[in-house]
Structures are given as structure tokens and as C-alpha cells.
Amino acid sequence: VYASGGLVYEEGPWTGVLSGTYRVRELGDGNRFDDYSIQTSIDYALGGGFSLAIAHEFLRAQNNRSRRIGVRFSKVIDLGRQ
């Protein structure tokens, strides 16, 4: 069973995102384990379809915990409608 949710807030060229996922796992030995991840990011629209974002994720899976930080530079390409 998975449950996910998220919030997005935009103000001018800035976009903030907070999201998370929660999963219930039934193990073969009858035990239960829950894991989850939480993600945050902030994005700045540079203009001309370009944007720059930085993101952070915290993940707990079984007995492991990890954190990731990432940076994204992107360009929107409009392929048009046919």
C-alpha cells in the first residue's frame, strides 16, 4: 500500500515543492515494515523557458536512511500541437 501527497507554491518566478510517499510493507515472516521518503525543491524560472532548481530528499527504507541533494537546469521545448 502506497500513499503519496504533495504541495506546490508559486510566487513570481519561484516555485516551491514539498512531497512525500509512505509505504506499508508486509514481510514474508509476518512482520510489518513501513518506509517513507520526503522531498523538497525550489525552482527559479530564468526566462526564455530556462529554469534552475535545487532539491533534497530524505529516504528511510528498512534500516537504511539516506539523503540526496540534486541540482537541475532545464529548458522547456514547445513541440507545438498538430
Side-chain angles (χ1 to χ4, degrees), residues 33-73:
F33 177 78
D34 303 339
D35 58 12
Y36 59 89
S37 69
I38 300 168
Q39 304 91 28
T40 59
S41 70
I42 189 149
D43 185 290
Y44 183 78
L46 300 168
F50 289 96
S51 68
L52 181 64
I54 186 165
H56 176 266
E57 177 187 42
F58 176 79
L59 172 67
R60 181 181 152 245
Q62 282 189 317
N63 295 325
N64 297 318
R65 292 184 177 160
S66 65
R67 293 174 189 242
R68 293 185 242 186
I69 295 177
V71 176
R72 181 189 74 230
F73 178 73

Side-chain angles (χ1 to χ4, degrees), residues 9-36:
Y9 179 75
E10 290 185 60
E11 182 69 36
W14 295 95
T15 303
V17 178
L18 172 65
S19 63
T21 301
Y22 180 77
R23 176 175 67 163
V24 176
R25 298 179 65 198
E26 300 289 338
L27 303 176
D29 61 5
N31 288 325
R32 182 180 132 165
F33 177 78
D34 303 339
D35 58 12
Y36 59 89

